[in-house]
Amino acid sequence: HSGRMWARVQRDAFPEIGALPIDKIKPPTLLAMLRKVEDRGAIEVAKRLKQSVSSVFRFAIAEGLVEHNPAAEIGAALKPTPRVRHFATIKPSEAHELVRKVAGYEGEPITRIALLFMLHTFVRTNELRYGLWSEIEGDIWRIPEERMKMRKEHIVPLTPQALALLEEAKQYQCGPYLFAGLRDEAMSENTLIYALYRLGYHSRLTVHGLRRLASTTLNEHGWPSDHIEMQLAHVSKDRIRGIYNSAEWLSGRRQMMNWWSDYLST
């Protein structure tokens, strides 16, 4: 925690206010600093940076260095945190029934395989739809940054079950995509959700809800939240670069994903 806070202050606060005497820092100066952070889309980071700076001023007041905390006066001027959209999902106790239903899906075989692969990897829908065979490197799937929401390359550990699904998919694919639709083009964005509808999950479960299902289950079973968030590709590139090296976080996520695939398979 302290490492993340210090890195945040060094990156965003010091270049703007680090050289100023603390009693000369006014609310407009702090607001200009925070808006630069907001302008790059990091709304939550801006709020946390404000909290960090505010704690410095509270300490300075106690030490008699300043009389006021300018950070306390700018909260209303910051952008609100975007409302989180929750996608319909099912309870962890229903996961095994879902796996059985998907395994018995009577539609296109590649749709069944893609849904199962989604369950075992819980990547985003577009990451799966546009996944390429050229991105598979042994037992990892290396998704390039241009296809990631965070614009950071994402490495997905592939469990034995996920690899077996890819081998099965090869029987039905001859183009560049892992799970192609008609004419070897990328699978339609509605293919997977319509399959869930056919399986009886209309209004009960979305494709994105599979990610929530995995996240909830893994959290309930005590897996490290950082590993879960990184597997979901929710962690910013700055945080990954500042805290983890690739061997550490990949090893931990590989163990977690193997457990998850075994859990789904029992």
Side-chain angles (χ1 to χ4, degrees):
H1 170 74
S2 62
R4 289 196 296 272
M5 185 177 74
W6 185 244
R8 190 158 56 231
V9 171
Q10 283 185 311
R11 181 184 63 238
D12 294 317
F14 284 0
E16 302 296 325
I17 63 173
L20 298 176
I22 193 166
D23 60 344
K24 302 298 182 184
I25 300 174
K26 305 301 180 184
T29 305
L30 287 183
L31 184 58
M33 174 190 75
L34 295 170
R35 281 182 171 163
K36 286 187 177 181
V37 179
E38 290 181 334
D39 287 344
R40 67 172 192 255
I43 307 300
E44 190 61 32
V45 173
K47 292 184 180 301
R48 292 177 182 175
L49 179 62
K50 172 185 168 293
Q51 293 171 358
S52 299
V53 172
S54 182
S55 68
V56 174
F57 276 99
R58 289 198 301 271
F59 177 82
I61 291 173
E63 291 289 324
L65 300 174
V66 296
E67 296 183 355
H68 303 288
N69 179 358
E73 302 174 25
I74 60 175
L78 296 177
K79 293 181 180 179
T81 302
R83 183 178 178 182
V84 177
R85 181 184 177 189
H86 293 292
F87 295 87
T89 190
I90 57 176
K91 299 176 182 177
S93 59
E94 300 175 275
H96 293 102
E97 179 185 9
L98 170 64
V99 173
R100 288 192 294 271
K101 286 186 175 181
V102 174
Y105 181 69
E106 297 179 351
E108 291 292 331
I110 199 62
T111 303
R112 169 182 54 81
I113 298 168
L115 267 178
L116 288 172
F117 190 80
M118 176 77 81
L119 269 165
H120 284 276
T121 59
F122 49 95
V123 294
R124 294 183 177 90
T125 305
N126 282 346
E127 292 160 12
L128 181 136
R129 289 178 55 224
Y130 294 102
L132 303 173
W133 290 105
S134 60
E135 296 168 353
I136 305 298
E137 300 178 5
D139 61 355
I140 66 171
W141 177 14
R142 194 180 298 273
I143 308 176
E145 62 182 38
E146 58 266 21
R147 288 206 294 107
M148 296 300 302
K149 184 177 180 179
M150 290 291 187
R151 291 298 181 261
K152 166 71 180 178
E153 181 189 67
H154 186 42
I155 298 176
V156 180
L158 297 174
T159 65
Q161 292 90 334
L163 290 170
L165 288 167
L166 289 180
E167 284 299 313
E168 187 179 359
K170 289 179 181 178
Q171 303 175 37
Y172 306 97
Q173 308 293 279
C174 58
Y177 295 106
L178 298 175
F179 308 103
L182 297 175
R183 298 181 295 278
D184 290 326
E185 297 176 354
M187 179 176 284
S188 166
E189 61 181 340
N190 293 322
T191 297
L192 298 182
I193 189 63
Y194 285 167
L196 289 176
Y197 291 170
R198 291 182 63 182
L199 291 171
Y201 289 98
H202 196 292
S203 75
R204 293 183 56 210
L205 176 64
T206 64
V207 179
H208 197 92
L210 299 177
R211 289 163 57 81
R212 285 188 61 200
L213 171 64
S215 174
T216 300
T217 307
L218 291 167
N219 274 297
E220 286 185 357
H221 283 81
W223 287 95
S225 59
D226 280 330
H227 292 172
I228 298 170
E229 291 300 294
M230 280 186 286
Q231 180 60 31
L232 291 164
H234 283 170
V235 184
S236 71
K237 65 173 69 175
D238 290 329
R239 185 175 174 194
I240 291 174
R241 183 169 56 243
I243 303 175
Y244 302 93
N245 67 51
S246 59
E248 288 173 339
W249 56 260
L250 182 58
S251 174
R253 285 197 296 130
R254 189 183 299 280
Q255 294 178 37
M256 180 184 73
M257 296 304 288
N258 281 331
W259 180 91
W260 172 243
S261 275
D262 289 343
Y263 174 84
L264 292 176
S265 303
T266 57

